[in-house]
Amino acid sequence: MLKLHNLLKVYRTDEVETVALNGVNVEIDQGDFVAVMGPSGCGKSTLLNIVGLLDNPTDGDYFFFDENVARYSEAQRAEIRKKNIGFIFQSFNLIDELNVAENIELALLYHDMPSGERKRRVAEVMDRMGIAHRARHMPGQLSGGQQQRVAVARAVVGDQPLILADEPTGNLDSAHGQEVMEMLRKLNAEGTTIVMVTHSPAHADYARRTVNLFDGHVVTDAQRAA
């Protein structure tokens, strides 16, 4: 599904050059669940941004479904993103002025989809995530765990095959964090590919595989023991 080959990402200013990723080689199969770990500043978020087509590498190749997208323009990347990738963020990124159903439906507005179909999909995903009774609530009326459920629903409502999660439990207590991880494991069991950045070894254990980064390099890439 995804193949990163000799990936290099360099950030330059007038005075400083920072190598965020250096010679990264990673392949991710469809249906995989990968946890990306490592200390702060090791390149985790940079890697997720490139995988999510939010940024281009400085050098190297990135094959997305056998298509080398490493040099694509923002418009080309946006077209692929909306059809294939859902995002879950640590900070939820819900819009305070929209209720739960409207926040979820927002992810479908960029698709060529009739209003009735959008409403049907939103109702279905709210039911799956156990938040149908909160449909008309505003984000400020929800707990952190409930807000992250809405964020997960928004990420999956378009049936994208790939979900990228950046510290999805970082703002949650342990009980709500475990709830979100169980949801991600269930989504993966249903066939969704998940790439998740996390600092938590316990949450990384939900993944089938862990990739450890250090100073922009992949230092280990191991399958979880059955």
Side-chain angles (χ1 to χ4, degrees):
M1 183 183 193
L2 312 177
K3 181 179 180 181
L4 312 177
H5 178 65
N6 284 340
L7 214 65
L8 175 72
K9 183 62 181 181
V10 180
Y11 295 102
R12 294 185 176 93
T13 66
D14 291 340
E15 299 177 354
V16 179
E17 178 176 286
T18 303
V19 180
L21 297 174
N22 193 356
V24 169
N25 292 283
V26 174
E27 292 190 34
I28 297 172
D29 294 330
Q30 199 158 359
D32 210 346
F33 187 167
V34 180
V36 180
M37 301 190 72
S40 295
C42 71
K44 300 187 301 296
S45 292
T46 299
L47 180 65
L48 206 68
N49 284 342
I50 291 175
V51 169
L53 296 169
L54 298 172
D55 199 1
N56 280 338
T58 304
D59 199 6
D61 298 306
Y62 174 23
F63 293 92
F64 191 95
F65 284 115
D66 297 322
E67 184 177 355
N68 194 346
V69 298
R71 307 291 174 266
Y72 274 19
S73 67
E74 166 56 24
Q76 290 172 306
R77 287 185 278 122
E79 190 65 24
I80 296 173
R81 277 200 310 269
K82 74 179 184 181
K83 294 177 180 176
N84 295 281
I85 306 174
F87 294 89
I88 303 169
F89 303 96
Q90 176 179 343
S91 56
F92 317 138
N93 285 7
L94 302 180
I95 296 177
D96 291 337
E97 294 76 21
L98 301 181
N99 65 32
V100 166
E102 291 166 340
N103 264 284
I104 297 169
E105 186 178 4
L106 197 63
L108 298 175
L109 295 181
Y110 304 102
H111 297 254
D112 184 17
M113 185 181 296
S115 174
E117 174 65 9
R118 291 200 308 268
K119 304 294 185 190
R120 185 193 66 77
R121 286 201 184 197
V122 169
E124 182 181 85
V125 78
M126 286 193 300
D127 191 52
R128 281 172 62 198
M129 297 297 159
I131 52 175
H133 62 299
R134 301 286 189 183
R136 296 188 181 278
H137 285 66
M138 308 303 282
Q141 298 174 294
L142 306 177
S143 69
Q146 289 167 339
Q147 288 188 59
Q148 194 61 301
R149 281 177 176 263
V150 178
V152 172
R154 182 184 57 194
V156 304
V157 69
D159 286 333
Q160 285 92 339
L162 174 64
I163 296 294
L164 302 182
D166 191 0
E167 294 283 0
T169 61
N171 283 340
L172 303 176
D173 60 33
S174 58
H176 286 121
Q178 187 173 342
E179 274 184 24
V180 169
M181 292 311 305
E182 290 291 351
M183 279 192 286
L184 293 179
R185 180 152 62 185
K186 184 172 184 291
L187 287 169
N188 178 245
E190 293 168 353
T192 303
T193 305
I194 298 174
V195 181
M196 173 185 70
V197 165
T198 182
H199 280 102
S200 167
H203 293 161
D205 282 345
Y206 281 82
R208 300 182 183 185
R209 176 178 157 207
T210 301
V211 173
N212 275 284
L213 295 179
F214 187 77
D215 285 348
H217 298 273
V218 174
V219 290
T220 61
D221 185 348
Q223 297 283 340
R224 184 171 61 87

